[in-house]
Each structure stands twice: as structure tokens, then as C-alpha cells.
Amino acid sequence: MDNKLIVLISPAHFNLSQIIIDEIVRCGYKCRWFDDRPSKKKIDKMLLRLSPALESGKINRYFKKIVDFCKENQPVKLIVIIGQCFSIKHYQQIREASPNTELVFYNWDAISNFPITKDNFAFFDRAYTFDSGDVKNFNLNFLPLFYSYSNSKEKEDLDYSLVVTVKKGKYADLHNIVSQLDKIYSRKFCLMYLQSKFVYRYYKLFDKSFKGAKKNDFSYSFLPAQEVESIFNRSKIVVDIVMGKQTGLTLRTIETLHLKKKLITNNEHIKEYPFYCEDNILICKNGDKIDFDSPFFKKPFNDNYALSEKYSLHSFVKTLLGDK
């Protein structure tokens, strides 16, 4: 066994997997990454969401490659992030092929968004989630997401910015907040990302909040991570929205507060965190009217509530590795 080899299975979600791989290597390990989906084709992604059974043959063939790699290389740990199309029967194959490998699971989405994952937790040696509600409901370990941006400073030439992936249930809160901010601020950057125009048409049919939305309101290609960081660095306020029953804090939330930028969010569970401060964070949800006379708009960022190293990428990865 190579006691410095980590196998990471995770979504090819923008640049996040590469960021985590780089930190694993900085911690002294080698890392082999596998996508947690067998195909990047849009039709396959859609089928995996709507009817995974139709993709079962492709999933099984793909996972066999992971099993064969683990059998040959005997990694010290297998870390799975979401693993959106794999089940206990797949992880059992890993256990049989590499019995001394520690299996570690992490969920950076709410289980309500990926219910397929809930049956897998008990099979892992350690299992974590970013969602405090799921910690209580599924007896998981709590591990918030992380910041990875540098502390570089840029001129604040944007009053506010918004860079989000729009999912069902998000658009109503987004539209409510943006329409109010636009009455006060003119310097802004807004990018609302949809995976495809097919997804836009789907939401137009099945999400009532999309009734007044137009196709050109959305972007169908996402910005590189470096550009997003620059936009947030230039912003006085960053807007971020969670969907549905999610209680966990998004990566965007952690990154924003790390940069000491003010945050507007619809996630009221942020009040449960030690860094919550009404000078820095404004909660606006379910059609709330924004109070522009609140401390959030009147006071500077309160440095007494800046994020600690506990929320860093390094701390996050060390926890998954079991080195903390």
C-alpha cells in the first residue's frame, strides 16, 4: 500500500476539485481524481438527474475503472464528495478490492437536493456534511465549506455583485433582492448562470417564479474562478442565495466574508455561526423588504467577526484526511 495515495471522487464543479487536489498534494499526499459522473455530456447529466436507472450500465462500467485502480494501487483513503450516481453496492466493491483503505464521505449539498446519497453514509468510516440540519437528521459530522481566495485587495468600483447558479426555487429571492438594490445602486455585476437553454425552458414551465424571466437574463457559460474572485474583490456587497431547505453555508458565503465583503443572503441559519454580525450580514428572504437604514448599510465591515483559520481550505482538507 502507498500510504500517501488518496483517491478523490468529486464533481467537476467549476474549479473546486482542482483546488482540493492541490491542497491534498500540499499536505504531502499524492492524489488521483475521478469525476463522480461517468459522462460530461449534457444528455447524460440530465438522465442522471431525472432517471439514474437509465444510466446504470454506463455508471457500473465507469465505476469498475475506479475499483480496478484501487485494487492495483491500494490507496490509504478514498474521499467521496457527493458521489451523486454511486450506491452502497459500488463502495462495497472498493472495500473488497482495497480492504485497508479508509472510506471518507463529504456532502457539500443538502441531502434534500441529492437524496440518493442518504443511503450511503453508514457504509463509510467517516461521513461529514456542511448542512447543520442534515447533521441532526442523519447523525453526520459537521464540516463547513472553506475559503481559498487570497487576501489581495482591488479598488472597490462595484456597489454589489451577484454570481450564482440558478436552480429551481432560487429565482424569486434573487429577483426580489436585485430589484430593490437596483433602486439604490447602479455599479453592479450580475451573472445568473443556467446550465443550458433547455434548463431555462424547463424552469419556465415548472417554476412559477420564472414567469417574468427572459432567456437573455441568464448566462449559459460560467466565469473562471480567478475572474469571480476579482469581481468579489471589487465589490462592497456580495449577494448569495441558497435553495429549498438547505441550511449549510455556501462556498460563496465563506469566500465573501473571508474577503471582508458585506453579504446579503436568504439563509437565516447563518445566525447560528460565531461570525454572524448584522454589521456584515443582511438576511433577506421570502419577499422581505430591505431596510436601507440598517447597520449593514450604515457601518463599515466589523473586523471583530472576520473568519478564523478554522474555515480555511487547509483546515477543511486536513479534516477530511484525518490529520486534525
Side-chain angles (χ1 to χ4, degrees), residues 5-26:
L5 175 62
I6 306 294
V7 170
L8 173 66
I9 301 175
S10 65
H13 187 68
F14 309 123
N15 198 41
L16 285 183
S17 290
Q18 190 59 53
I19 289 172
I20 293 170
I21 292 166
D22 291 345
E23 187 61 33
I24 289 173
V25 172
R26 277 192 290 269

mmCIF file with all atom_site columns, all heavy atoms in Angstrom, residues 5-26:
data_model
loop_
_atom_site.group_PDB
_atom_site.id
_atom_site.type_symbol
_atom_site.label_atom_id
_atom_site.label_alt_id
_atom_site.label_comp_id
_atom_site.label_asym_id
_atom_site.label_entity_id
_atom_site.label_seq_id
_atom_site.pdbx_PDB_ins_code
_atom_site.Cartn_x
_atom_site.Cartn_y
_atom_site.Cartn_z
_atom_site.occupancy
_atom_site.B_iso_or_equiv
_atom_site.pdbx_formal_charge
_atom_site.auth_seq_id
_atom_site.auth_comp_id
_atom_site.auth_asym_id
_atom_site.auth_atom_id
_atom_site.pdbx_PDB_model_num
ATOM 1   N N   . LEU A 1 5  ? -1.155  7.811  -0.923  1.00 0.00 ? 5  LEU A N   1
ATOM 2   C CA  . LEU A 1 5  ? -2.030  7.943  -2.082  1.00 0.00 ? 5  LEU A CA  1
ATOM 3   C C   . LEU A 1 5  ? -3.480  8.134  -1.634  1.00 0.00 ? 5  LEU A C   1
ATOM 4   O O   . LEU A 1 5  ? -4.021  7.330  -0.887  1.00 0.00 ? 5  LEU A O   1
ATOM 5   C CB  . LEU A 1 5  ? -1.928  6.709  -2.985  1.00 0.00 ? 5  LEU A CB  1
ATOM 6   C CG  . LEU A 1 5  ? -2.890  6.693  -4.179  1.00 0.00 ? 5  LEU A CG  1
ATOM 7   C CD1 . LEU A 1 5  ? -2.623  7.855  -5.131  1.00 0.00 ? 5  LEU A CD1 1
ATOM 8   C CD2 . LEU A 1 5  ? -2.796  5.359  -4.926  1.00 0.00 ? 5  LEU A CD2 1
ATOM 9   N N   . ILE A 1 6  ? -4.096  9.192  -2.134  1.00 0.00 ? 6  ILE A N   1
ATOM 10  C CA  . ILE A 1 6  ? -5.501  9.479  -1.887  1.00 0.00 ? 6  ILE A CA  1
ATOM 11  C C   . ILE A 1 6  ? -6.249  9.356  -3.203  1.00 0.00 ? 6  ILE A C   1
ATOM 12  O O   . ILE A 1 6  ? -5.822  9.881  -4.228  1.00 0.00 ? 6  ILE A O   1
ATOM 13  C CB  . ILE A 1 6  ? -5.695  10.913 -1.345  1.00 0.00 ? 6  ILE A CB  1
ATOM 14  C CG1 . ILE A 1 6  ? -4.833  11.161 -0.096  1.00 0.00 ? 6  ILE A CG1 1
ATOM 15  C CG2 . ILE A 1 6  ? -7.180  11.186 -1.074  1.00 0.00 ? 6  ILE A CG2 1
ATOM 16  C CD1 . ILE A 1 6  ? -5.220  10.340 1.101   1.00 0.00 ? 6  ILE A CD1 1
ATOM 17  N N   . VAL A 1 7  ? -7.389  8.675  -3.190  1.00 0.00 ? 7  VAL A N   1
ATOM 18  C CA  . VAL A 1 7  ? -8.301  8.692  -4.334  1.00 0.00 ? 7  VAL A CA  1
ATOM 19  C C   . VAL A 1 7  ? -9.458  9.624  -3.979  1.00 0.00 ? 7  VAL A C   1
ATOM 20  O O   . VAL A 1 7  ? -10.105 9.460  -2.942  1.00 0.00 ? 7  VAL A O   1
ATOM 21  C CB  . VAL A 1 7  ? -8.822  7.288  -4.668  1.00 0.00 ? 7  VAL A CB  1
ATOM 22  C CG1 . VAL A 1 7  ? -9.954  7.366  -5.698  1.00 0.00 ? 7  VAL A CG1 1
ATOM 23  C CG2 . VAL A 1 7  ? -7.695  6.418  -5.203  1.00 0.00 ? 7  VAL A CG2 1
ATOM 24  N N   . LEU A 1 8  ? -9.679  10.609 -4.833  1.00 0.00 ? 8  LEU A N   1
ATOM 25  C CA  . LEU A 1 8  ? -10.748 11.571 -4.627  1.00 0.00 ? 8  LEU A CA  1
ATOM 26  C C   . LEU A 1 8  ? -11.794 11.400 -5.718  1.00 0.00 ? 8  LEU A C   1
ATOM 27  O O   . LEU A 1 8  ? -11.482 11.466 -6.910  1.00 0.00 ? 8  LEU A O   1
ATOM 28  C CB  . LEU A 1 8  ? -10.197 12.999 -4.668  1.00 0.00 ? 8  LEU A CB  1
ATOM 29  C CG  . LEU A 1 8  ? -11.226 14.143 -4.623  1.00 0.00 ? 8  LEU A CG  1
ATOM 30  C CD1 . LEU A 1 8  ? -11.944 14.171 -3.268  1.00 0.00 ? 8  LEU A CD1 1
ATOM 31  C CD2 . LEU A 1 8  ? -10.563 15.491 -4.910  1.00 0.00 ? 8  LEU A CD2 1
ATOM 32  N N   . ILE A 1 9  ? -13.046 11.178 -5.311  1.00 0.00 ? 9  ILE A N   1
ATOM 33  C CA  . ILE A 1 9  ? -14.180 11.156 -6.232  1.00 0.00 ? 9  ILE A CA  1
ATOM 34  C C   . ILE A 1 9  ? -15.027 12.385 -5.924  1.00 0.00 ? 9  ILE A C   1
ATOM 35  O O   . ILE A 1 9  ? -15.524 12.533 -4.801  1.00 0.00 ? 9  ILE A O   1
ATOM 36  C CB  . ILE A 1 9  ? -15.027 9.879  -6.068  1.00 0.00 ? 9  ILE A CB  1
ATOM 37  C CG1 . ILE A 1 9  ? -14.189 8.624  -6.315  1.00 0.00 ? 9  ILE A CG1 1
ATOM 38  C CG2 . ILE A 1 9  ? -16.230 9.909  -6.998  1.00 0.00 ? 9  ILE A CG2 1
ATOM 39  C CD1 . ILE A 1 9  ? -14.953 7.321  -6.055  1.00 0.00 ? 9  ILE A CD1 1
ATOM 40  N N   . SER A 1 10 ? -15.187 13.267 -6.886  1.00 0.00 ? 10 SER A N   1
ATOM 41  C CA  . SER A 1 10 ? -15.920 14.503 -6.627  1.00 0.00 ? 10 SER A CA  1
ATOM 42  C C   . SER A 1 10 ? -16.455 15.083 -7.926  1.00 0.00 ? 10 SER A C   1
ATOM 43  O O   . SER A 1 10 ? -15.999 14.720 -9.019  1.00 0.00 ? 10 SER A O   1
ATOM 44  C CB  . SER A 1 10 ? -15.015 15.523 -5.924  1.00 0.00 ? 10 SER A CB  1
ATOM 45  O OG  . SER A 1 10 ? -13.947 15.917 -6.778  1.00 0.00 ? 10 SER A OG  1
ATOM 46  N N   . PRO A 1 11 ? -17.423 15.998 -7.845  1.00 0.00 ? 11 PRO A N   1
ATOM 47  C CA  . PRO A 1 11 ? -17.958 16.618 -9.063  1.00 0.00 ? 11 PRO A CA  1
ATOM 48  C C   . PRO A 1 11 ? -16.910 17.501 -9.742  1.00 0.00 ? 11 PRO A C   1
ATOM 49  O O   . PRO A 1 11 ? -16.070 18.115 -9.075  1.00 0.00 ? 11 PRO A O   1
ATOM 50  C CB  . PRO A 1 11 ? -19.122 17.471 -8.549  1.00 0.00 ? 11 PRO A CB  1
ATOM 51  C CG  . PRO A 1 11 ? -19.440 16.934 -7.193  1.00 0.00 ? 11 PRO A CG  1
ATOM 52  C CD  . PRO A 1 11 ? -18.151 16.436 -6.638  1.00 0.00 ? 11 PRO A CD  1
ATOM 53  N N   . ALA A 1 12 ? -16.995 17.567 -11.055 1.00 0.00 ? 12 ALA A N   1
ATOM 54  C CA  . ALA A 1 12 ? -16.157 18.512 -11.811 1.00 0.00 ? 12 ALA A CA  1
ATOM 55  C C   . ALA A 1 12 ? -16.862 19.862 -11.772 1.00 0.00 ? 12 ALA A C   1
ATOM 56  O O   . ALA A 1 12 ? -17.350 20.373 -12.780 1.00 0.00 ? 12 ALA A O   1
ATOM 57  C CB  . ALA A 1 12 ? -15.977 18.027 -13.242 1.00 0.00 ? 12 ALA A CB  1
ATOM 58  N N   . HIS A 1 13 ? -16.949 20.413 -10.579 1.00 0.00 ? 13 HIS A N   1
ATOM 59  C CA  . HIS A 1 13 ? -17.760 21.606 -10.316 1.00 0.00 ? 13 HIS A CA  1
ATOM 60  C C   . HIS A 1 13 ? -16.873 22.840 -10.385 1.00 0.00 ? 13 HIS A C   1
ATOM 61  O O   . HIS A 1 13 ? -16.172 23.185 -9.433  1.00 0.00 ? 13 HIS A O   1
ATOM 62  C CB  . HIS A 1 13 ? -18.410 21.474 -8.940  1.00 0.00 ? 13 HIS A CB  1
ATOM 63  C CG  . HIS A 1 13 ? -19.393 22.560 -8.625  1.00 0.00 ? 13 HIS A CG  1
ATOM 64  N ND1 . HIS A 1 13 ? -20.597 22.687 -9.290  1.00 0.00 ? 13 HIS A ND1 1
ATOM 65  C CD2 . HIS A 1 13 ? -19.343 23.573 -7.720  1.00 0.00 ? 13 HIS A CD2 1
ATOM 66  C CE1 . HIS A 1 13 ? -21.251 23.717 -8.791  1.00 0.00 ? 13 HIS A CE1 1
ATOM 67  N NE2 . HIS A 1 13 ? -20.510 24.272 -7.858  1.00 0.00 ? 13 HIS A NE2 1
ATOM 68  N N   . PHE A 1 14 ? -16.900 23.518 -11.561 1.00 0.00 ? 14 PHE A N   1
ATOM 69  C CA  . PHE A 1 14 ? -16.038 24.664 -11.778 1.00 0.00 ? 14 PHE A CA  1
ATOM 70  C C   . PHE A 1 14 ? -14.589 24.275 -11.456 1.00 0.00 ? 14 PHE A C   1
ATOM 71  O O   . PHE A 1 14 ? -14.077 23.331 -12.001 1.00 0.00 ? 14 PHE A O   1
ATOM 72  C CB  . PHE A 1 14 ? -16.544 25.877 -11.001 1.00 0.00 ? 14 PHE A CB  1
ATOM 73  C CG  . PHE A 1 14 ? -18.009 26.141 -11.260 1.00 0.00 ? 14 PHE A CG  1
ATOM 74  C CD1 . PHE A 1 14 ? -18.928 26.182 -10.241 1.00 0.00 ? 14 PHE A CD1 1
ATOM 75  C CD2 . PHE A 1 14 ? -18.458 26.285 -12.566 1.00 0.00 ? 14 PHE A CD2 1
ATOM 76  C CE1 . PHE A 1 14 ? -20.279 26.390 -10.508 1.00 0.00 ? 14 PHE A CE1 1
ATOM 77  C CE2 . PHE A 1 14 ? -19.804 26.495 -12.842 1.00 0.00 ? 14 PHE A CE2 1
ATOM 78  C CZ  . PHE A 1 14 ? -20.716 26.556 -11.803 1.00 0.00 ? 14 PHE A CZ  1
ATOM 79  N N   . ASN A 1 15 ? -13.941 24.945 -10.502 1.00 0.00 ? 15 ASN A N   1
ATOM 80  C CA  . ASN A 1 15 ? -12.532 24.644 -10.228 1.00 0.00 ? 15 ASN A CA  1
ATOM 81  C C   . ASN A 1 15 ? -12.328 24.006 -8.855  1.00 0.00 ? 15 ASN A C   1
ATOM 82  O O   . ASN A 1 15 ? -11.204 23.858 -8.398  1.00 0.00 ? 15 ASN A O   1
ATOM 83  C CB  . ASN A 1 15 ? -11.721 25.946 -10.333 1.00 0.00 ? 15 ASN A CB  1
ATOM 84  C CG  . ASN A 1 15 ? -10.238 25.713 -10.496 1.00 0.00 ? 15 ASN A CG  1
ATOM 85  O OD1 . ASN A 1 15 ? -9.841  24.812 -11.229 1.00 0.00 ? 15 ASN A OD1 1
ATOM 86  N ND2 . ASN A 1 15 ? -9.421  26.491 -9.811  1.00 0.00 ? 15 ASN A ND2 1
ATOM 87  N N   . LEU A 1 16 ? -13.418 23.620 -8.202  1.00 0.00 ? 16 LEU A N   1
ATOM 88  C CA  . LEU A 1 16 ? -13.322 23.204 -6.803  1.00 0.00 ? 16 LEU A CA  1
ATOM 89  C C   . LEU A 1 16 ? -12.501 21.938 -6.610  1.00 0.00 ? 16 LEU A C   1
ATOM 90  O O   . LEU A 1 16 ? -11.701 21.842 -5.669  1.00 0.00 ? 16 LEU A O   1
ATOM 91  C CB  . LEU A 1 16 ? -14.717 23.010 -6.211  1.00 0.00 ? 16 LEU A CB  1
ATOM 92  C CG  . LEU A 1 16 ? -15.496 24.282 -5.884  1.00 0.00 ? 16 LEU A CG  1
ATOM 93  C CD1 . LEU A 1 16 ? -16.816 23.931 -5.243  1.00 0.00 ? 16 LEU A CD1 1
ATOM 94  C CD2 . LEU A 1 16 ? -14.682 25.189 -4.977  1.00 0.00 ? 16 LEU A CD2 1
ATOM 95  N N   . SER A 1 17 ? -12.710 20.950 -7.470  1.00 0.00 ? 17 SER A N   1
ATOM 96  C CA  . SER A 1 17 ? -11.972 19.703 -7.302  1.00 0.00 ? 17 SER A CA  1
ATOM 97  C C   . SER A 1 17 ? -10.471 19.930 -7.416  1.00 0.00 ? 17 SER A C   1
ATOM 98  O O   . SER A 1 17 ? -9.683  19.372 -6.638  1.00 0.00 ? 17 SER A O   1
ATOM 99  C CB  . SER A 1 17 ? -12.431 18.667 -8.324  1.00 0.00 ? 17 SER A CB  1
ATOM 100 O OG  . SER A 1 17 ? -13.738 18.234 -8.033  1.00 0.00 ? 17 SER A OG  1
ATOM 101 N N   . GLN A 1 18 ? -10.057 20.755 -8.375  1.00 0.00 ? 18 GLN A N   1
ATOM 102 C CA  . GLN A 1 18 ? -8.630  21.014 -8.543  1.00 0.00 ? 18 GLN A CA  1
ATOM 103 C C   . GLN A 1 18 ? -8.054  21.744 -7.341  1.00 0.00 ? 18 GLN A C   1
ATOM 104 O O   . GLN A 1 18 ? -6.917  21.478 -6.915  1.00 0.00 ? 18 GLN A O   1
ATOM 105 C CB  . GLN A 1 18 ? -8.367  21.814 -9.818  1.00 0.00 ? 18 GLN A CB  1
ATOM 106 C CG  . GLN A 1 18 ? -6.890  21.924 -10.179 1.00 0.00 ? 18 GLN A CG  1
ATOM 107 C CD  . GLN A 1 18 ? -6.250  20.572 -10.380 1.00 0.00 ? 18 GLN A CD  1
ATOM 108 O OE1 . GLN A 1 18 ? -6.744  19.752 -11.164 1.00 0.00 ? 18 GLN A OE1 1
ATOM 109 N NE2 . GLN A 1 18 ? -5.150  20.305 -9.675  1.00 0.00 ? 18 GLN A NE2 1
ATOM 110 N N   . ILE A 1 19 ? -8.818  22.665 -6.765  1.00 0.00 ? 19 ILE A N   1
ATOM 111 C CA  . ILE A 1 19 ? -8.380  23.380 -5.565  1.00 0.00 ? 19 ILE A CA  1
ATOM 112 C C   . ILE A 1 19 ? -8.119  22.395 -4.423  1.00 0.00 ? 19 ILE A C   1
ATOM 113 O O   . ILE A 1 19 ? -7.115  22.485 -3.710  1.00 0.00 ? 19 ILE A O   1
ATOM 114 C CB  . ILE A 1 19 ? -9.437  24.428 -5.153  1.00 0.00 ? 19 ILE A CB  1
ATOM 115 C CG1 . ILE A 1 19 ? -9.451  25.599 -6.151  1.00 0.00 ? 19 ILE A CG1 1
ATOM 116 C CG2 . ILE A 1 19 ? -9.177  24.947 -3.740  1.00 0.00 ? 19 ILE A CG2 1
ATOM 117 C CD1 . ILE A 1 19 ? -10.588 26.564 -5.935  1.00 0.00 ? 19 ILE A CD1 1
ATOM 118 N N   . ILE A 1 20 ? -9.029  21.436 -4.257  1.00 0.00 ? 20 ILE A N   1
ATOM 119 C CA  . ILE A 1 20 ? -8.889  20.443 -3.191  1.00 0.00 ? 20 ILE A CA  1
ATOM 120 C C   . ILE A 1 20 ? -7.720  19.510 -3.478  1.00 0.00 ? 20 ILE A C   1
ATOM 121 O O   . ILE A 1 20 ? -6.929  19.176 -2.575  1.00 0.00 ? 20 ILE A O   1
ATOM 122 C CB  . ILE A 1 20 ? -10.204 19.659 -3.024  1.00 0.00 ? 20 ILE A CB  1
ATOM 123 C CG1 . ILE A 1 20 ? -11.301 20.587 -2.506  1.00 0.00 ? 20 ILE A CG1 1
ATOM 124 C CG2 . ILE A 1 20 ? -10.015 18.471 -2.079  1.00 0.00 ? 20 ILE A CG2 1
ATOM 125 C CD1 . ILE A 1 20 ? -12.692 19.972 -2.529  1.00 0.00 ? 20 ILE A CD1 1
ATOM 126 N N   . ILE A 1 21 ? -7.573  19.074 -4.730  1.00 0.00 ? 21 ILE A N   1
ATOM 127 C CA  . ILE A 1 21 ? -6.444  18.216 -5.107  1.00 0.00 ? 21 ILE A CA  1
ATOM 128 C C   . ILE A 1 21 ? -5.120  18.910 -4.792  1.00 0.00 ? 21 ILE A C   1
ATOM 129 O O   . ILE A 1 21 ? -4.201  18.300 -4.214  1.00 0.00 ? 21 ILE A O   1
ATOM 130 C CB  . ILE A 1 21 ? -6.515  17.867 -6.608  1.00 0.00 ? 21 ILE A CB  1
ATOM 131 C CG1 . ILE A 1 21 ? -7.705  16.954 -6.879  1.00 0.00 ? 21 ILE A CG1 1
ATOM 132 C CG2 . ILE A 1 21 ? -5.221  17.192 -7.069  1.00 0.00 ? 21 ILE A CG2 1
ATOM 133 C CD1 . ILE A 1 21 ? -8.056  16.831 -8.351  1.00 0.00 ? 21 ILE A CD1 1
ATOM 134 N N   . ASP A 1 22 ? -4.999  20.170 -5.172  1.00 0.00 ? 22 ASP A N   1
ATOM 135 C CA  . ASP A 1 22 ? -3.760  20.918 -4.936  1.00 0.00 ? 22 ASP A CA  1
ATOM 136 C C   . ASP A 1 22 ? -3.431  20.985 -3.449  1.00 0.00 ? 22 ASP A C   1
ATOM 137 O O   . ASP A 1 22 ? -2.261  20.863 -3.050  1.00 0.00 ? 22 ASP A O   1
ATOM 138 C CB  . ASP A 1 22 ? -3.874  22.332 -5.509  1.00 0.00 ? 22 ASP A CB  1
ATOM 139 C CG  . ASP A 1 22 ? -3.914  22.349 -7.034  1.00 0.00 ? 22 ASP A CG  1
ATOM 140 O OD1 . ASP A 1 22 ? -3.567  21.326 -7.650  1.00 0.00 ? 22 ASP A OD1 1
ATOM 141 O OD2 . ASP A 1 22 ? -4.306  23.389 -7.602  1.00 0.00 ? 22 ASP A OD2 1
ATOM 142 N N   . GLU A 1 23 ? -4.460  21.134 -2.613  1.00 0.00 ? 23 GLU A N   1
ATOM 143 C CA  . GLU A 1 23 ? -4.215  21.215 -1.166  1.00 0.00 ? 23 GLU A CA  1
ATOM 144 C C   . GLU A 1 23 ? -3.836  19.842 -0.605  1.00 0.00 ? 23 GLU A C   1
ATOM 145 O O   . GLU A 1 23 ? -2.980  19.751 0.288   1.00 0.00 ? 23 GLU A O   1
ATOM 146 C CB  . GLU A 1 23 ? -5.444  21.772 -0.451  1.00 0.00 ? 23 GLU A CB  1
ATOM 147 C CG  . GLU A 1 23 ? -5.238  22.046 1.031   1.00 0.00 ? 23 GLU A CG  1
ATOM 148 C CD  . GLU A 1 23 ? -4.146  23.083 1.297   1.00 0.00 ? 23 GLU A CD  1
ATOM 149 O OE1 . GLU A 1 23 ? -3.982  24.020 0.474   1.00 0.00 ? 23 GLU A OE1 1
ATOM 150 O OE2 . GLU A 1 23 ? -3.450  22.957 2.339   1.00 0.00 ? 23 GLU A OE2 1
ATOM 151 N N   . ILE A 1 24 ? -4.439  18.786 -1.103  1.00 0.00 ? 24 ILE A N   1
ATOM 152 C CA  . ILE A 1 24 ? -4.056  17.428 -0.685  1.00 0.00 ? 24 ILE A CA  1
ATOM 153 C C   . ILE A 1 24 ? -2.578  17.197 -0.970  1.00 0.00 ? 24 ILE A C   1
ATOM 154 O O   . ILE A 1 24 ? -1.830  16.650 -0.138  1.00 0.00 ? 24 ILE A O   1
ATOM 155 C CB  . ILE A 1 24 ? -4.930  16.375 -1.399  1.00 0.00 ? 24 ILE A CB  1
ATOM 156 C CG1 . ILE A 1 24 ? -6.363  16.413 -0.856  1.00 0.00 ? 24 ILE A CG1 1
ATOM 157 C CG2 . ILE A 1 24 ? -4.337  14.972 -1.234  1.00 0.00 ? 24 ILE A CG2 1
ATOM 158 C CD1 . ILE A 1 24 ? -7.334  15.524 -1.613  1.00 0.00 ? 24 ILE A CD1 1
ATOM 159 N N   . VAL A 1 25 ? -2.137  17.622 -2.136  1.00 0.00 ? 25 VAL A N   1
ATOM 160 C CA  . VAL A 1 25 ? -0.719  17.470 -2.512  1.00 0.00 ? 25 VAL A CA  1
ATOM 161 C C   . VAL A 1 25 ? 0.162   18.318 -1.604  1.00 0.00 ? 25 VAL A C   1
ATOM 162 O O   . VAL A 1 25 ? 1.236   17.883 -1.160  1.00 0.00 ? 25 VAL A O   1
ATOM 163 C CB  . VAL A 1 25 ? -0.518  17.846 -3.996  1.00 0.00 ? 25 VAL A CB  1
ATOM 164 C CG1 . VAL A 1 25 ? 0.965   17.881 -4.352  1.00 0.00 ? 25 VAL A CG1 1
ATOM 165 C CG2 . VAL A 1 25 ? -1.257  16.855 -4.892  1.00 0.00 ? 25 VAL A CG2 1
ATOM 166 N N   . ARG A 1 26 ? -0.285  19.544 -1.300  1.00 0.00 ? 26 ARG A N   1
ATOM 167 C CA  . ARG A 1 26 ? 0.499   20.408 -0.388  1.00 0.00 ? 26 ARG A CA  1
ATOM 168 C C   . ARG A 1 26 ? 0.620   19.779 0.997   1.00 0.00 ? 26 ARG A C   1
ATOM 169 O O   . ARG A 1 26 ? 1.588   20.050 1.727   1.00 0.00 ? 26 ARG A O   1
ATOM 170 C CB  . ARG A 1 26 ? -0.140  21.794 -0.288  1.00 0.00 ? 26 ARG A CB  1
ATOM 171 C CG  . ARG A 1 26 ? 0.248   22.740 -1.417  1.00 0.00 ? 26 ARG A CG  1
ATOM 172 C CD  . ARG A 1 26 ? -0.169  24.166 -1.119  1.00 0.00 ? 26 ARG A CD  1
ATOM 173 N NE  . ARG A 1 26 ? -1.601  24.335 -1.170  1.00 0.00 ? 26 ARG A NE  1
ATOM 174 C CZ  . ARG A 1 26 ? -2.289  24.683 -2.256  1.00 0.00 ? 26 ARG A CZ  1
ATOM 175 N NH1 . ARG A 1 26 ? -1.647  24.890 -3.396  1.00 0.00 ? 26 ARG A NH1 1
ATOM 176 N NH2 . ARG A 1 26 ? -3.595  24.825 -2.214  1.00 0.00 ? 26 ARG A NH2 1
#
